[in-house]
Structure formats: C-alpha cells, structure tokens
Amino acid sequence: YPVLHNLYARVEAFHGNVYTANTDGSQLRHPAGSIRLKIGGSVMSGQRGEIHECLTFLGYEKEDFPPLGSLIAQTREMIDKLTPVRNAKPIEDQYVGPVWIDMPVLLTNSFFDHLKSSRSGINQMQGTAKAENLNKRLFSTDITIKCTPLLKKYKNTPLLGSFETDIEGVTPKKELILVEKGVVKNLLRSRIPTLTGSQSTGNSYYSNNPYLLQARLNPGVVEISTSNGMVDADMKKQLIEAALNEGLSHAYIIRRLP
C-alpha cells in the first residue's frame, strides 16, 4: 500500500488489582485492566493534508479478539475505504440542512454528568446534576437510558464496564432506569448524601484507564433504546423528504469522521 503513511498495529495492555478498605470494615479487591489493539494508517490529501483512520478492539484477554483472518480482512476493508478519500473533493458551498450520521457514536463519561447527583464543594466523584433535574425532560421523548453494570456480555462480546460491587462496597441494582421516555427518573449516587437522596446506587467505580485510575460515579454498562427506531431504507427516505421540504437538491450521509 504505497499511498499509506504511518501504518501501524499497536497493542496496549495493563493488568492489576485495586484494593480498597472502608471505615465500615469493607475490604475489597477489584481487578483493573484491559487490552487494546489499534490498527491504523493515514493518506495524504493535497487539499486536506493528512487523513487518518484506525480500527480499535478492546477486551480482557486474547480470546476476546477476532481471529487473525478477520483482523486482516477488516484492515483491508479499512484501507480500501481510506485510499479513495485522498482524491475526494471538499465541499465548497455552505450546507444548512438535514444530515444522517450513519456511524457508531462514542459516548464519553462526561455525557452522563447530568445524570450524576452533585454536591456543592465535592466534585471529584460527583456530577453536575441538580435536584431539579429529577422528573424533568432532558432528552427526546423516545429515548430511554438504563444502567446495567452487572451485565458482563452482550452477544458474546465482553463488556469492560461491568462490575459486581463498587469501591464503596455497594452492590448495584441489576437495572436502574436513569431516563424513561426522555424524563430523568434517577441519578447516579455514591454514599455521599445529596439533595437527590442519601442512598448510594452502587456506581462509585474506577475509570478503566491505565493512566488515571480515578474513582468517580460510573454507570458501568449503559443501555440506550428508542421507541422510534427505523431501518436504513426508511431513514434514507425520511432524509430525502426532509431535504426536499427545505428546498434542497441534496442531503448528506456521514459514514465516517476523520
């Protein structure tokens, strides 16, 4: 692949244990660790400079990763999609209209800050949610968000956020509804009392980051569902209709971001 630059395959792994002891007599040992495989590369575009793309695989052990043949096939597919991008023409005219983002969306921990109970002056483990957020609609009415930290696998894929007991010795519920039909029903809480409640939800846990094992309110595993989902064909049809209703001759589908 002579047009590729900075082609790499990188493995990052860390394993260890986090020990905690509380004044109530709880003594806990939590495993901390993960393996991350990243495969990526770049192409040079005369108009946009370097364009990078990568594949990322996460797991606890080597059995959690695709077999070598699958990794090679996915890498070749990535390269086949990346190579033509170097000759793609940039959009010159300003576009204001409907866009379909047809790609996986990464939700960082900060997305859930408004679903974490806050206490003035204590922000290391707490979020930004105030008591008035409870029973208030903050999301679309078709969105429901559940916290399921006890779930270990989804379709045979290990879930790295899963945990059975948090660092304060509290066992979380099997399912905690945070948002129901767009309305905030519960907030994540530690043992620190707040205006939203005095009982912990069992969500004080370490972020799975080898460089920053910091205790914080953590949903662990999250299930986000919608009552208004649709298949790709219907989504594309709706996109075209929305563009026509705005007097546009075209619309955009975003399948990757540089």
Side-chain angles (χ1 to χ4, degrees):
Y1 301 100
V3 300
L4 293 181
H5 299 268
N6 301 322
L7 189 63
Y8 63 87
R10 184 182 303 130
V11 177
E12 300 173 356
F14 81 101
H15 288 280
N17 293 291
V18 178
Y19 297 87
T20 56
N22 296 329
T23 54
D24 65 358
S26 299
Q27 296 183 355
L28 306 169
R29 178 174 63 88
H30 292 97
S34 66
I35 304 173
R36 176 180 300 177
L37 170 62
K38 296 187 70 173
I39 304 171
S42 305
V43 294
M44 299 300 296
S45 172
Q47 296 174 313
R48 296 177 54 191
E50 185 177 11
I51 302 174
H52 178 259
E53 182 66 280
C54 73
L55 300 172
T56 302
F57 303 89
L58 294 170
Y60 285 116
E61 50 193 3
K62 65 180 182 179
E63 288 77 16
D64 297 332
F65 293 84
L68 180 59
S70 177
L71 290 174
I72 293 175
Q74 292 184 61
T75 301
R76 286 175 174 164
E77 182 181 2
M78 177 196 71
I79 293 173
D80 290 341
K81 291 181 178 179
L82 178 62
T83 303
V85 175
R86 66 192 181 103
N87 297 321
K89 295 181 180 180
I91 300 173
E92 298 179 353
D93 298 331
Q94 184 181 21
Y95 175 79
V96 179
V99 175
W100 175 16
I101 302 178
D102 184 21
M103 57 181 289
V105 177
L106 176 64
L107 299 180
T108 62
N109 202 54
S110 60
F111 173 83
F112 299 95
D113 282 348
H114 292 287
L115 297 176
K116 303 174 185 178
S117 184
S118 65
R119 183 183 180 190
S120 177
I122 300 180
N123 56 20
Q124 186 174 22
M125 287 179 57
Q126 305 304 304
T128 60
K130 306 298 182 181
E132 55 264 28
N133 283 2
L134 279 172
N135 300 314
K136 183 177 181 181
R137 188 173 75 84
L138 298 181
F139 297 83
S140 173
T141 55
D142 63 316
I143 295 295
T144 294
I145 302 176
K146 299 178 182 179
C147 175
T148 58
L150 299 179
L151 187 63
K152 295 182 179 296
K153 287 188 176 184
Y154 177 74
K155 294 183 178 179
N156 293 323
T157 299
L159 302 175
L160 300 185
S162 177
F163 59 87
E164 297 181 355
T165 306
D166 75 354
I167 63 171
E168 296 179 329
V170 181
T171 300
K173 293 182 178 180
K174 183 178 180 180
E175 178 180 290
L176 176 67
I177 298 178
L178 298 175
V179 177
E180 185 175 31
K181 297 180 179 179
V183 178
V184 177
K185 294 297 185 180
N186 289 288
L187 298 175
L188 301 178
R189 294 188 301 272
S190 67
R191 283 188 171 185
I192 301 175
T194 67
L195 293 177
T196 64
S198 59
Q199 297 295 318
S200 171
T201 58
N203 291 96
S204 299
Y205 206 68
Y206 291 101
S207 59
N208 200 10
N209 185 333
Y211 308 106
L212 184 64
L213 282 175
Q214 181 183 21
R216 61 190 304 173
L217 283 173
N218 193 333
V221 179
V222 176
E223 177 186 322
I224 301 178
S225 59
T226 175
S227 60
N228 192 29
M230 61 182 68
V231 297
D232 287 358
D234 292 338
M235 180 72 77
K236 187 174 182 179
K237 180 180 179 181
Q238 189 176 89
L239 174 70
I240 295 173
E241 291 177 352
L244 292 176
N245 290 337
E246 296 188 25
L248 299 171
S249 61
H250 61 279
Y252 288 100
I253 301 176
I254 299 176
R255 292 195 167 95
R256 64 174 299 276
L257 291 173

